[in-house]
Amino acid sequence: MADSKARTAAPVPTIRDVAELAGVATSTVSRALSNPGRVNHVTRERVEQAAAALNYVPSSQARGLSSGRTNAIALLVPDVTNPFYFDIIRGTQNQLKAAGYTQLLVDTEESAEMEADTLRKMQRTADGFILAASRLTDAQLVEAASSQAIVTINRSSSNAPTVMIDTPGAVVQALEHLSSLGHTRICYVGGPASSWSNAKRWKTFEDECRERGLTTSRVGPFTPKTTSGAAAADAAARTGATACIVFNDLLAIGMLQRLRERGIRVPEDMSIVGCDDIFGADFCNPPLTTMASPIEQAGRVAVSMLLAQLDPLHAGSSRRLAVMPTHLTVRGSTGPASPN
Amino acid sequence: MADSKARTAAPVPTIRDVAELAGVATSTVSRALSNPGRVNHVTRERVEQAAAALNYVPSSQARGLSSGRTNAIALLVPDVTNPFYFDIIRGTQNQLKAAGYTQLLVDTEESAEMEADTLRKMQRTADGFILAASRLTDAQLVEAASSQAIVTINRSSSNAPTVMIDTPGAVVQALEHLSSLGHTRICYVGGPASSWSNAKRWKTFEDECRERGLTTSRVGPFTPKTTSGAAAADAAARTGATACIVFNDLLAIGMLQRLRERGIRVPEDMSIVGCDDIFGADFCNPPLTTMASPIEQAGRVAVSMLLAQLDPLHAGSSRRLAVMPTHLTVRGSTGPASPN
DNA sequence: CAACTTTTGGCAAACGCTTGCCGCATGGAT
DNA sequence: ATCCATGCGGCAAGCGTTTGCCAAAAGTTG
């Protein structure tokens, strides 16, 4: 119990101090503050005044220890620096703050192991978890969801409620768009192998192309970072496709740069469609045609679903799946197929 | 003590279970795990095996309650969606994780009040605070720093250790650059009024311009977001300046878009210098000349300084100020002054 | 006015861990 | 042999809350 920060030895007031000042028992203070209605309103007022006078702030640690709740939820993302997650982070942050929860942000570095590890280590630290684009295997996910409250974003699971961003729908729109521009040979530029939504997108892409009689090719997997764009661009160019649907905007933007370097004009020689409509997609050069969706809202919805899950009242009845709509935002990176 | 998440009633193992399995007292388990050296190594091994067998994870809540430490530090940023902070977030996150700390990320929404409030509310929740670009008044900052461990980033303070990004130095470089390109009328596009670094930059700008005999003007304040770029661009254009030094890249990128819309060519008609070299500065159109600095490293250094401050051994001796070097990264948004 | 029911507040036992203090061994020095 | 240091483990008292249980007070009913 060392006073590690040996500053002005500020004796932070405890519930005991408040109780004393208000002339009641600590239990009454506790109830007055977190369970009004359980105490007479005049008593409550007295307690509230005392608390205010002392500038009392309940210790979340102690509260958590005795109540079993932490009032914190953890958000696990594969990569905090990916702008896609920024919007999710912002969405969850807002919604959690409104609900009086603290957000614990963890970067799992695209690693399933690290994700599982975090889930284990934080079981007591957080009341629930939001897994954005989880890299977990199905088995891991099932196991995790069996012992803790979890909501996934962009990762279906029968065990945990899920917020899905309907990128497959957007892929169809994108294909429609490209096809109407006369493209017949289209390449899918893949993201991380362990990404569930990557698999989903590819499947939709392939099915849809077959149906439309389009020639497909696929390159990847690539790390979803701009730095992988060069390799992705080179690989895609080699396929002879006149248009690419790219796993995400980060990669797409990286490709844009590389294609420019190589003198391959976008969209004249090659059309590019990204995914996510991240920060930057509107001002890169050329501005990126991309599959946009209300990402921030996805974060908010995930929080709602998680909180509902935690609430013993709604627990059973809560929604298990939310699908966020997507739409194609057409900008300058797509154009008519070159006539060769 | 309700079991709110009434799942498989998983009885999370406690230190007691470990003690029992290892055949020792709980105090021994505690010491074996967090103070090796205090127990015989054979005992420790036995304890470790027991802990592993039970998949034991200490409760940070209980640990914090009794030890007074939380092993968490809070990072307060004015706006989580500003890419500038992403890099800081990443830097602190990495360093904290390495040190076994949890990061609590809080968005203070550019509000001094909210910042002060968070500091108060979280006094027990975090061992220390990193304030990135604090909006606090000097008085508030002094008071806060007197009772808790604080490190500021880009905000000088005599009371708290500080990591400064040497943007004034970069402003000089930028002016040198613009001046050598023949610009004589330069406009400073200001950021938030409450931003300390904004004031600092403006002062350096003004002093340096006077010394060089350059004509200055100033517009603002503007919210540092791309959406404010239109207003900023219009205001700057009206000043008749041929070059702008802009508070940050976000604003600068917004201006780029607006200038293009208005047919004002960059850099032919107007040169633009941003600040921070955020994500996107390299691929906007034209790519932005900007004052770059190792932001992620700033985050890491801030953590080191904070942790040193918390450590009773180094507490006094630790560094009070770190200055991160900056340099001008010249890209396409600056060019020779137009001859009119 | 007796017999109940409701409100309301207090008591005290957790919650899971850390740590000051004590005492038993063990082994070296005298 | 005796005395001390030293190493090591256990005991138990907290840390600041919440909450089940109880009892006193207040209100209701017939």
Side-chain angles (χ1 to χ4, degrees), chain A residues 65 117 120-124, chain B residues 11-22 25-34 46-64 66:
Chain A
L65 189 51
D117 210 51
R120 208 175 57 79
K121 291 242 177 72
M122 298 188 90
Q123 52 183 334
R124 288 257 220 14
Chain B
V12 184
T14 76
I15 201 173
R16 218 119 46 198
D17 302 319
V18 178
E20 194 171 343
L21 182 57
T26 60
S27 49
T28 303
V29 174
S30 172
R31 285 193 274 252
L33 263 29
S34 53
R46 196 142 40 92
V47 170
E48 276 166 357
Q49 280 177 12
L54 293 171
N55 207 343
Y56 167 72
V57 180
S59 151
S60 54
Q61 311 238 49
R63 205 199 278 268
S66 71

Side-chain angles (χ1 to χ4, degrees), chain B residues 159-170:
Chain B
N159 288 67
T162 299
V163 178
M164 284 294 300
I165 294 177
D166 181 29
T167 27

Side-chain angles (χ1 to χ4, degrees), chain A residues 7 55 81 86 120 309, chain B residues 7 55 86 90 120 309:
Chain A
R7 299 184 169 267
N55 206 344
T81 63
F86 293 164
R120 208 175 57 79
Q309 193 180 162
Chain B
R7 300 184 167 268
N55 207 343
F86 293 166
R90 173 164 42 168
R120 208 175 59 78
Q309 195 182 158

Side-chain angles (χ1 to χ4, degrees), chain A residues 13-35 38-39 43 47 56 58 63:
Chain A
T14 76
I15 201 173
R16 219 117 46 197
D17 302 320
V18 178
E20 195 170 344
L21 181 58
V24 297
T26 61
S27 50
T28 304
V29 175
S30 173
R31 286 194 273 252
L33 264 28
S34 52
N35 192 357
R38 181 61 175 74
V39 301
T43 311
V47 169
Y56 167 73
R63 206 198 279 265

